Amino acid sequence: MKPKFLYLFLFIISINCTKTTNNDAFIKQVAGRYLFDSDQVIEVYFKDKVLLLTWKGIKDIKPMKFDDDTFFVKEMNEKITFKTNPEDQKEYLVLLPKEDDAEITFNFKKLEKNEFTPSEYLANDNYEKALAGYIAIQQKDSLNIAVNENEMNAIGYYHLEKNETQKAIHVLKINAVLHPNSDNVFDSLGEAYFKSGDTLQAIANYKKALAIDSGNRRAKNVVDRFDKK
């Protein structure tokens, strides 16, 4: 057998012979949720002591195990491990560098049990913490998709279409705080208040939209109609 084929054969055998299960200490150490980006997480969990991931909505991703703490995730096309960062003593999910001599980057920090992303706070109707989280993201990166005006507006209208008017109002109020110079966010908030039956707040927000852009036709039509009454 030629050397390169022998090496490949032994490599495949070594993978197949590696146990897929993990010990209790490792499971306790790494199970949890890791901050993938500003508003998404990677969930690490175990079934029958086999490591699984949930990432970007894909559940039960089963990485290939190389050794006790190293795995290959084909969905990411990345080799991962878990390490404690000496700077903050926190656990991290680490993408192993492609080059052997490259420095390791501590990529994704493990979240505390009571720590959530802004969108998770939003889903759980914790609007105060959701707003604080979104403001923090915006301060670091104003172009981050998580605080995009149109994306947030779409979430508000999603709730409006489901007749969840109070949720829509809360979402659109957050959008108004994040984008106070946009007539569109106040126009949308006015619409949500109208649908909830709160005409006074609806008119107030339409007037805010007009103050930003006097050419906002819908806001002008609504305000003019009620001012004539």
Side-chain angles (χ1 to χ4, degrees):
M1 185 178 292
K2 293 182 179 181
K4 66 177 181 180
F5 292 110
L6 176 60
Y7 174 79
L8 179 60
F9 175 76
L10 292 174
F11 176 72
I12 293 171
I13 291 297
S14 67
I15 291 176
N16 289 336
C17 290
T18 301
K19 291 182 178 180
T20 58
T21 57
N22 300 273
N23 63 53
D24 292 339
F26 178 76
I27 292 172
K28 183 178 180 180
Q29 178 187 357
V30 308
R33 301 163 67 252
Y34 295 77
L35 190 61
F36 177 67
D37 62 20
S38 57
D39 201 33
Q40 293 188 77
V41 298
I42 302 173
E43 186 177 358
V44 177
Y45 52 102
F46 295 81
K47 291 183 180 179
D48 298 324
K49 297 191 175 183
V50 175
L51 185 144
L52 299 172
L53 308 176
T54 292
W55 175 65
K56 289 190 173 182
I58 308 171
K59 298 181 179 180
D60 292 343
I61 296 172
K62 185 178 179 181
M64 180 185 297
K65 184 174 181 179
F66 279 86
D67 54 38
D68 288 343
D69 60 0
T70 307
F71 305 81
F72 178 73
V73 186
K74 67 178 182 179
E75 288 80 0
M76 297 179 176
N77 194 30
E78 296 284 357
K79 197 173 180 181
I80 68 169
T81 190
F82 300 87
K83 290 185 177 294
T84 302
N85 188 337
E87 292 187 2
D88 60 11
Q89 296 302 309
K90 301 291 186 180
E91 192 72 24
Y92 283 74
L93 189 156
V94 174
L95 303 181
L96 288 173
K98 302 294 192 294
E99 298 78 20
D100 293 337
D101 58 346
E103 186 177 347
I104 287 178
T105 300
F106 290 89
N107 307 96
F108 311 123
K109 185 175 73 171
K110 187 176 182 180
L111 297 173
E112 301 294 335
K113 289 184 178 180
N114 60 346
E115 189 176 2
F116 299 94
T117 66
S119 63
E120 289 173 328
Y121 282 125
L122 195 64
N124 292 327
D125 299 337
N126 193 332
Y127 301 109
E128 185 176 340
K129 287 190 174 181
L131 175 59
Y134 284 124
I135 290 174
I137 291 172
Q138 189 181 56
Q139 288 174 343
K140 290 181 180 178
D141 178 13
S142 62
L143 299 179
N144 193 300
I145 188 67
V147 292
N148 179 273
E149 176 190 334
N150 293 330
E151 293 291 329
M152 189 71 69
N153 221 45
I155 296 172
Y157 274 100
Y158 167 79
H159 289 301
L160 274 183
E161 289 171 2
K162 294 182 67 178
N163 291 318
E164 297 170 347
T165 53
Q166 290 306 312
K167 284 189 175 184
I169 288 169
H170 283 296
V171 172
L172 295 170
K173 283 172 70 176
I174 289 173
N175 207 19
V177 173
L178 296 175
H179 304 282
N181 298 317
S182 169
D183 65 301
N184 184 57
V185 298
F186 290 104
D187 183 294
S188 298
L189 186 53
E191 183 178 346
Y193 273 118
F194 255 133
K195 193 166 184 178
S196 75
D198 191 338
T199 304
L200 290 178
Q201 282 296 327
I203 297 301
N205 279 280
Y206 277 123
K207 286 183 176 180
K208 288 179 182 178
L210 276 177
I212 296 169
D213 181 5
S214 60
N216 187 317
R217 290 185 178 182
R218 181 168 68 170
K220 190 174 187 307
N221 289 338
V222 172
V223 171
D224 286 348
R225 186 170 74 250
F226 278 85
D227 279 348
K228 291 177 181 177
K229 292 184 178 182

